[in-house]
Amino acid sequence: MTTTTTTTTASTPTLDEFGAEVTAFLDAAAERRPERREFAWGEGDDSVSMFEEVDPADERRGLAEAKVWRAKRFDAGLGYISGDPAYGGRGLPAAYDRLYASLESRYDVPSQSFFGIGLGMVAPTIKDHAQPDIKARYLPAMYRGDVVGCQLFSEPGAGSDLAGLQTRAERDGDEWVVSGQKVWTSGAQYSDIGEVICRTDPDMPKHQGLTGFIVDMRAPGVDVRPLRQMTGGASFNEVFFNEVRVPDDHRLGDVNQGWSVALTTLMNERASIGAGGAGGGLGVADITRLSQMLAHFGGSDDPTLRDQLMRLYTGFQVAKFTNQRALDKIRAGQLPGPEMSIAKLSLTRNLTDTGQFVARVLGPRLTADTGEWGTFAWSRFLCGTPGMRIAGGSDEVLHNIIGERVLGLPKEPGIDTTSPFKDLLKN
Ligand SMILES: Cc1cc2nc3c(=O)[nH]c(=O)nc-3n(C[C@H](O)[C@H](O)[C@H](O)COP(=O)(O)OP(=O)(O)OC[C@H]3O[C@@H](n4cnc5c(N)ncnc54)[C@H](O)[C@@H]3O)c2cc1C
């Protein structure tokens, strides 16, 4: 395992001092979680959803609580621990972030999932590509939880082939006028700003005529419409832009250099999926729960089910260590290689295999809600896992990446990187 050393200066607290400061803050501001009890079949919450799916009123309440907590953290100097002091950060090494996260996990604090995309992907892109005034305006506000961000990349005709996007931005004096449609925008319904990639020059090849912007999600002409999923929830949206005016100072990077802006965001997306445990554990759907399920429904003597369970266990372990390798590389300041793609693929394979195992053990209990603990609840898991095979790079696209960049197989034919975008066939 790679280890990193932290260089501290006289004004930098040691990790021990910082840990004491964090514990004092948490003790004063939150309740400690009760010690985690061993999982026991039939006890506690049986929810195993892939996505948090709550009704709009609960979502509003959850967001308000999440913001209050984020503001408390920020005001105590613990909201942007490794950030640049010029933008409200504390300027400490990343190890201090990890220490904070591990200490906070012992306390009962409101879910911070609302900030995942904004802080995991949009804020790092603002940090790397926005103009200083815009960094000063948004970075502290985002880390304080006052401003929530979303990612507006995918379109009906541009998902895996992101560079094929057609939302236009046309210059009009000091402003840009944005028109087009985005889709699958997670959290757009409660976001204040969005990172949008637009086509600014259709005469250039498709990867070259793109520009990134920060758009006000409440500006006139922005229309957010929820998309209902097969799980019953609506975590995603279609977002329509109808001549939305965006000031030029909200541009990310140079005009027509939006592809490198998008790559910054996508790199951070992979890293945040990794940090969230992609390919490692499965959260609530862990091996203890699965083996107790097998025992409860009398399948422990079935050799094929036992074999399936052991294969799952092996898959979880291999994914966990592959994921750890990738995260250790990031922490050591190196770029992760194929580990991220392999970890993402392992995650989706493990999720799919878990669903198949559960379906075999539960049989019809999975589809009829009889109220029996730990049965119908799994239907949300099974309906949610296909989405994980698509989000953050689909299985097939990741196979292509591994084939081309790791195994050295020939590149996919037919990608035109020289003709003007306007002359290409559109999806
Ligand atoms: C849970 C979830 C959350 C999301 N959140 C967001 C968000 O917040 N913001 C956002 O902008 N987008 C978001 N997305 C959209 C996501 O980025 C896209 O769904 C993804 O890029 C795939 O694009 P697509 O759906 O258009 O499918 P397509 O790209 O059209 O792919 C359709 C099928 O073709 C396959 N395919 C495509 N290209 C190739 C190829 N070259 N070789 C082999 N097979 C190929 C794919 O694997 C897939 O099976 C989210 C999606 C999900 C599922």
Side-chain angles (χ1 to χ4, degrees), residues 15 18-19 21-23 25-26 29-30 69-70 72-74 76-81 90 94-107 109 112:
L15 274 172
F18 182 72
E21 175 193 335
V22 172
T23 305
F25 163 72
L26 291 168
W69 178 249
R70 191 89 226 159
K72 263 190 203 164
R73 261 186 76 171
F74 189 89
L78 298 168
Y80 192 15
I81 293 164
R90 183 85 180 259
Y96 290 67
D97 270 324
R98 293 196 293 278
L99 177 59
Y100 179 89
S102 93
L103 291 173
E104 195 197 69
S105 69
R106 299 176 194 166
Y107 291 78
V109 304
Q112 298 290 290

Side-chain angles (χ1 to χ4, degrees), residues 230-247:
M230 65 176 157
T231 48
S235 327
F236 316 101
N237 304 271
E238 296 176 293
V239 178
F240 293 84
F241 292 102
N242 186 14
E243 300 195 346
V244 177
R245 303 194 80 87
V246 179

Side-chain angles (χ1 to χ4, degrees), residues 51 117 151-155 158-161 183-186 236 387 390-392 394 396-397 400 412:
F51 301 107
I117 291 177
Q151 176 208 19
L152 298 144
F153 281 20
S154 306
E155 298 185 2
S160 307
D161 179 21
V183 73
W184 308 125
T185 318
S186 313
F236 316 101
I390 302 169
S394 72
E396 291 77 10
V397 167
N400 283 350
E412 266 199 277

